[in-house]
Amino acid sequence: MADHGRADADPGGLTITVRLQGETVVWSGLMFPDREHGVIEEARFHLAQYLGEIERVHGAWQ
């Protein structure tokens, strides 16, 4: 069977899909409770801000 870059689901972990739509990074499959007792299924981030935050965290780890 071909490996398509997907990890097997861990019943104790978190599995989401991350994709790029134009200049927006989309996390989907979250199923995270929000403050009003609803469910957040998707989060969107502007690409420049997303990459900036990754660079900031990477710098903090060094």
Side-chain angles (χ1 to χ4, degrees):
M1 178 178 262
D3 179 2
H4 297 286
R6 292 180 168 240
D8 291 334
D10 174 358
L14 173 69
T15 302
I16 64 171
T17 300
V18 178
R19 68 184 189 280
L20 183 61
Q21 283 185 316
E23 293 290 313
T24 304
V25 177
V26 181
W27 290 4
S28 57
L30 296 175
M31 301 304 291
F32 186 81
D34 69 9
R35 292 182 179 165
E36 287 80 33
H37 305 289
V39 176
I40 298 171
E41 297 179 22
E42 188 174 272
R44 294 173 173 261
F45 309 92
H46 188 273
L47 180 59
Q49 291 174 322
Y50 188 85
L51 293 175
E53 189 64 14
I54 290 172
E55 289 176 11
R56 184 191 68 78
V57 171
H58 181 264
W61 282 347
Q62 292 185 3

